């Protein structure tokens, strides 16, 4: 089909210059069918044409030999960003102009369709900044999965921990230029370990998913932990009205325009035993070589129907000893956060979305965090050209910190971004 479409385009553009009178009607379909007929090429050439990679925007470039011993799909994507921050007097304080994300991804199977792999690399400074222990950070995902049935998979390697919905969503499938301030503080990101997922239809349209992992607990590309324990994470997802179309539970907005109401209710808990980092899988070293047990919790709700989407996310972190006597300016962020966002996708693929995010640190860490509450309200407009694979986004945010020690913080942010992926 891909070769046929390419030949159609070639003939349409160049046939008039190949001696064909332009006022003469041409049956392009007949011309292409003739070119692809067995009589037009020797058998060896036909075999090569059949084995050419399949190329489709948004679904990558796929290679699969005739014997089907393996399949590889290669994808790339980039996000080009322009952003401005302004203070309370609407005076510009900073400008960002950069390639925020540049990713290369490989997915497929080898030897058997039950043995899958997934690799993702990130190349921008935002993606690949060095870790506190000095390790480089280019590798984002490097997973091997065994999937004996359509409902169960077991994975080994490095990938996202299945905890909160907002973090599991790919950054390529967001309604806003980036995730919320709440997700930035409380998400537990990627880690190396063992991952399992199980999906089960329970009764009629009611579906259940259970996801769990045991990981190193220090985050991606950390390599080793001499004193720390492991991180244990579990998540339960309920789909009372059936699964979303096209994995809509991990894609923001109702791009599939669900013809029936679809709902997700999910909860997750993660216990990170003896972590050496302030946010568990993220953040700087805990001072003086100390370690902490971190408890993270998440609740998600999604509703989608005919272009309308509604989300709410509640998440938080708790540790028994968030302060450090010898480092009064450092703490572990004990507290909670909540997001509420809604959107509508118009018939011509213009979308309007609004999100309100609030961070609520506990009293004992407020003096170090610097505020009692932090609220950010964001409104976004997105034009989808080829789904989430090619889109133009703009959003505007207003920040408000209650009882802050720094009244000069940025109040406004305006961002423009182009996302392109193959």
């Amino acid at each position: 089909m891909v070769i046929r479409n390419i030949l159609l385009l070639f003939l349409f553009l160049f046939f008039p210059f190949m001696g064909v009178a332009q006022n003469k009607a041409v049956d392009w379909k007949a011309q292409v069918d003739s070119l692809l007929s067995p009589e037009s090429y020797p058998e060896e050439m036909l075999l090569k044409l059949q084995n050419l990679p399949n190329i489709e925007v948004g679904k990558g470039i796929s290679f699969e030999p005739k014997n089907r011993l393996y399949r590889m799909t290669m994808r790339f994507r980039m996000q080009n960003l322009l952003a401005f921050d302004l203070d309370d007097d609407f005076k510009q304080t900073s400008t960002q102009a950069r390639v925020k994300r540049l990713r290369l991804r490989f997915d497929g199977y080898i030897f058997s369709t039950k043995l899958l792999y997934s690799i993702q690399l990130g190349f921008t400074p935002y993606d690949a900044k060095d870790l506190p222990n000095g390790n480089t950070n280019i590798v984002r995902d490097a997973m091997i999965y065994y999937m004996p049935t359509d409902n169960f998979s077991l994975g080994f390697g490095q990938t996202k921990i299945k905890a909160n919905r907002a973090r599991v969503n790919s950054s390529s499938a967001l309604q806003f230029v980036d995730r919320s301030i709440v997700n930035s503080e409380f998400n537990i990101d990627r880690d190396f370990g063992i991952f399992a997922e199980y999906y089960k239809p329970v009764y009629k349209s009611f579906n259940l998913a259970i996801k769990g992992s045991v990981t190193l607990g220090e985050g991606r590309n950390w390599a080793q932990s001499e004193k720390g324990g492991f991180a244990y994470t579990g998540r339960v997802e309920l789909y009372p009205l059936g699964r979303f179309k096209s994995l809509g539970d991990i894609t923001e907005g109702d791009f599939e325009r669900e013809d029936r109401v679809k709902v997700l209710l999910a909860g997750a808990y993660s216990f990170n035993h003896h972590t050496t980092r302030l946010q568990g899988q993220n953040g700087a070293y805990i001072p003086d070589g100390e370690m902490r047990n971190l408890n993270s919790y998440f609740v998600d709700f999604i509703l989608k129907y005919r272009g309308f989407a509604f989300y709410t996310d509640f998440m938080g972190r708790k540790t028994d000893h968030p302060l450090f006597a010898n480092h009064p300016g450092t703490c572990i962020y004990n507290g909670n956060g909540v997001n509420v966002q809604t959107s509508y996708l118009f018939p011509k693929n213009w979308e309007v979305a609004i999100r309100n995010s609030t961070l609520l640190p506990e009293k004992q860490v407020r003096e170090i965090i610097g505020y009692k509450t932090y609220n950010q309200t964001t409104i976004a407009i997105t034009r989808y050209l080829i789904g989430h694979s090619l889109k133009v986004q703009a959003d505007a945010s207003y920040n408000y910190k209650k009882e802050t020690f720094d009244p000069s913080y940025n109040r406004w942010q305006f961002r423009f971004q182009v996302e392109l992926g193959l």
Side-chain angles (χ1 to χ4, degrees), residues 64 68-73 105-119 142-157 197:
E64 185 177 51
R68 296 188 175 180
L69 285 178
Y70 74 89
R71 181 181 178 87
M72 183 184 74
T73 298
R105 179 172 171 175
F106 303 88
D107 301 281
Y109 67 85
I110 188 165
F111 299 126
S112 168
T113 55
K114 296 180 180 180
L115 188 61
L116 309 167
Y117 64 88
S118 180
I119 300 168
M143 286 294 297
I144 299 171
Y145 293 99
Y146 175 60
M147 195 170 181
T149 70
D150 292 339
N151 296 329
F152 176 73
S153 68
L154 185 66
F156 177 68
E197 297 187 25

Side-chain angles (χ1 to χ4, degrees), residues 178-187 279 282 315 317:
D178 214 337
R179 298 183 180 91
S180 71
I181 55 173
V182 175
N183 178 82
S184 296
E185 180 57 50
F186 294 117
N187 86 87
Q279 293 176 282
N282 290 307
M315 59 194 84
R317 181 188 304 118

Side-chain angles (χ1 to χ4, degrees), residues 24 153 224 324 369 388 390:
K24 181 179 179 180
S153 68
Q224 64 182 14
F324 305 94
I369 299 300
H388 281 287
L390 179 57

Side-chain angles (χ1 to χ4, degrees), residues 180-221:
S180 71
I181 55 173
V182 175
N183 178 82
S184 296
E185 180 57 50
F186 294 117
N187 86 87
I188 54 176
D189 199 43
R190 288 172 164 86
D191 209 346
F192 189 98
I194 299 171
F195 302 80
E197 297 187 25
Y198 177 68
Y199 295 86
K200 181 176 177 58
V202 178
Y203 177 73
K204 293 185 178 179
S205 61
F206 191 96
N207 280 254
L208 168 72
I210 300 174
K211 304 176 181 181
S213 62
V214 179
T215 60
L216 184 65
E218 314 297 343
R220 61 189 178 104
N221 300 317

Side-chain angles (χ1 to χ4, degrees), residues 318-329:
K318 180 73 175 179
T319 186
D320 291 336
H321 304 287
L323 305 179
F324 305 94
N326 297 327
H327 298 269

